[in-house]
Amino acid sequence: MKRIMLFISFLFFAGLVSAHPGKKVTTFPAPEAFCTGLTFDGALLWVADYKTDLLYSVNPQNGEVVRSIPAPGFWPAGLAWDGDYLWNIDSKQKKLFKVNPQTGTILTVLPAPCSNPEGLVWFEETLWISDSRANEIYKIDIQDGTAVHTIAAPAKSAHGLAFDGQYFWCADRNMDEIYMLEPESGEVIIVSDAPGPYARGLTWDGEFLWSIDYETDQLYKVVRQDKDLYRLENKRHARVTLTHQIKGYGLGEINKADVFFALPQDLPQQKIINLDLEPNADTVTDIWKQEFARFTFSDIASGTPAESKMVVETEISGIHYYIFPDQVGTLDDIPAEILDLYTRDG
């Protein structure tokens, strides 16, 4: 007896959508219409504007401007806070300025290590700078401004930089996305939609990210992480038809053939509305508890097709999971029943 075993998996693949990190919590008008850099001093936000050539301190509770000081250059961009002083990079002069936040007095001037400096953040007792054209992020020596370490930027127009105590966050204005990066290697861990179409400045207040948008002239408070593990978007109706045929060639006939279709289940990103099988099939389950429809055919004559068909009416959504490495746990945290089910021999 000839026996043909055909295993066909049936899966829905959902595309990536906007991230839950990046969800807008609060929106305030920007202090002016040409805002670039953004940082947080532990109490107030600081915003740079290159038309007014001012650095504004902003109340994060209501968006009101508390006061302002002169910018140290004529094209202020990225801002950073080192615990005591402001740092501001001038993207046209290609210089770094250390500034007294009370008086605006320039305390130190350093050359930038790149030709298109834009974003700025304080981390590891020094400054990191993003170059919006070289697609790189530089760690500098604040004694002389030279780059001592370089990582690749996550996209082609890196602007705002922030550090949340564990990870870098980088805003890219071309892709309209914000990226969470491993700071030493630059590896992208999470991608989220930026809250506006031209995310320029970026900072971290200890709980939330803040973004200043150059196009909408808005200041956004956005989620870094919450309890939701994924987000759904773009729900749509779909009718999916899976067809399989067996046809024998030669003089003999196929004595028996089993065809298996993995049966789709309700999942966060898909809801099964209706499922039809032709011809009738029985249901079997494998050792991993996946259900299959089994079509059994006998005595299939040469040249005569034996057809199996599954038609599924479903609602499908895009789904994007967010996995924070520090929340993953270890192999010891995997439940014993899962280890036994999925790692057994055979």
Side-chain angles (χ1 to χ4, degrees), residues 1 41 98 137 183 231 234 290 334:
M1 176 184 292
D41 69 4
K98 183 179 181 180
I137 299 171
R231 184 176 183 179
N234 299 326
Q290 167 69 56
I334 301 174

Side-chain angles (χ1 to χ4, degrees), residues 39 41 80-87 97-102 105 107 122:
T39 194
D41 69 4
W81 175 256
D82 69 5
D84 295 301
Y85 299 102
L86 286 169
W87 289 82
F97 300 94
K98 183 179 181 180
V99 180
N100 184 314
Q102 299 302 320
T105 302
L107 305 175
W122 181 264

Side-chain angles (χ1 to χ4, degrees), residues 137 149 151-154 166-170 179-191 325:
I137 299 171
H149 181 58
I151 60 176
Q166 283 185 298
Y167 304 107
F168 272 146
W169 292 81
C170 180
Y179 306 86
M180 189 176 88
L181 313 176
E182 198 287 317
E184 290 302 316
S185 66
E187 179 182 358
V188 176
I189 299 170
I190 284 177
V191 182

Side-chain angles (χ1 to χ4, degrees), residues 37-346:
L38 180 66
T39 194
F40 181 68
D41 69 4
L44 298 170
L45 296 164
W46 286 86
V47 180
D49 186 274
Y50 80 80
K51 186 175 182 181
T52 62
D53 294 335
L54 293 173
L55 307 182
Y56 300 91
S57 62
V58 176
N59 186 334
Q61 301 301 316
N62 54 26
E64 292 182 358
V65 174
V66 177
R67 60 190 180 87
S68 63
I69 59 175
F74 64 84
W75 201 281
L79 280 171
W81 175 256
D82 69 5
D84 295 301
Y85 299 102
L86 286 169
W87 289 82
N88 184 213
I89 196 158
D90 192 288
S91 60
K92 298 303 180 183
Q93 296 183 75
K94 301 175 178 56
K95 291 181 180 180
L96 265 168
F97 300 94
K98 183 179 181 180
V99 180
N100 184 314
Q102 299 302 320
T103 64
T105 302
I106 298 172
L107 305 175
T108 303
V109 182
L110 297 173
C114 52
S115 58
N116 294 278
E118 185 68 40
L120 195 63
V121 69
W122 181 264
F123 165 56
E124 292 184 333
E125 299 302 313
T126 192
L127 292 165
W128 294 69
I129 299 170
S130 66
D131 188 293
S132 60
R133 292 188 183 177
N135 308 326
E136 290 183 321
I137 299 171
Y138 307 92
K139 176 183 179 180
I140 71 164
D141 184 334
I142 55 173
Q143 300 303 313
D144 58 14
T146 58
V148 296
H149 181 58
T150 304
I151 60 176
K156 294 186 180 297
S157 188
H159 278 65
L161 287 178
F163 181 68
D164 67 7
Q166 283 185 298
Y167 304 107
F168 272 146
W169 292 81
C170 180
D172 185 272
R173 77 98 170 174
N174 279 343
M175 299 300 294
D176 300 334
E177 291 176 331
I178 296 175
Y179 306 86
M180 189 176 88
L181 313 176
E182 198 287 317
E184 290 302 316
S185 66
E187 179 182 358
V188 176
I189 299 170
I190 284 177
V191 182
S192 71
D193 283 353
Y198 197 144
R200 193 111 189 218
L202 199 64
T203 194
W204 166 249
D205 71 0
E207 184 178 2
F208 294 94
L209 290 167
W210 290 80
S211 174
I212 192 82
D213 194 89
Y214 186 72
E215 185 172 324
T216 64
D217 301 326
Q218 298 290 312
L219 182 60
Y220 300 102
K221 179 181 179 180
V222 299
V223 171
R224 174 202 183 268
Q225 181 181 1
D226 61 16
K227 295 180 180 179
D228 292 336
L229 301 178
Y230 59 84
R231 184 176 183 179
L232 302 179
E233 199 170 82
N234 299 326
K235 184 193 296 184
R236 60 202 182 278
H237 182 271
R239 184 175 187 268
V240 183
T241 301
L242 177 63
T243 302
H244 184 270
Q245 285 189 346
I246 299 172
K247 184 185 287 187
Y249 295 90
L251 299 177
E253 61 182 23
I254 299 172
N255 301 123
K256 186 175 182 181
D258 287 335
V259 177
F260 296 83
F261 285 178
L263 294 172
Q265 307 295 318
D266 284 335
L267 296 171
Q269 75 274 24
Q270 67 184 26
K271 178 182 178 182
I272 307 303
I273 300 171
N274 188 56
L275 188 150
D276 290 320
L277 300 170
E278 298 178 15
N280 291 330
D282 60 347
T283 301
V284 296
T285 305
D286 67 13
I287 62 171
W288 300 285
K289 301 180 182 180
Q290 167 69 56
E291 289 188 339
F292 290 82
R294 178 173 60 187
F295 301 88
T296 300
F297 299 93
S298 301
D299 304 324
I300 304 172
S302 177
T304 301
E307 183 173 283
S308 311
K309 184 165 73 172
M310 176 166 63
V311 180
V312 183
E313 300 286 341
T314 180
E315 285 183 351
I316 303 176
S317 300
I319 187 168
H320 195 161
Y321 289 97
Y322 299 99
I323 300 172
F324 289 79
D326 55 290
Q327 301 293 318
V328 169
T330 69
L331 293 178
D332 293 335
D333 297 316
I334 301 174
E337 61 271 20
I338 297 298
L339 282 173
D340 178 65
L341 185 62
Y342 291 103
T343 64
R344 69 178 64 165
D345 289 345

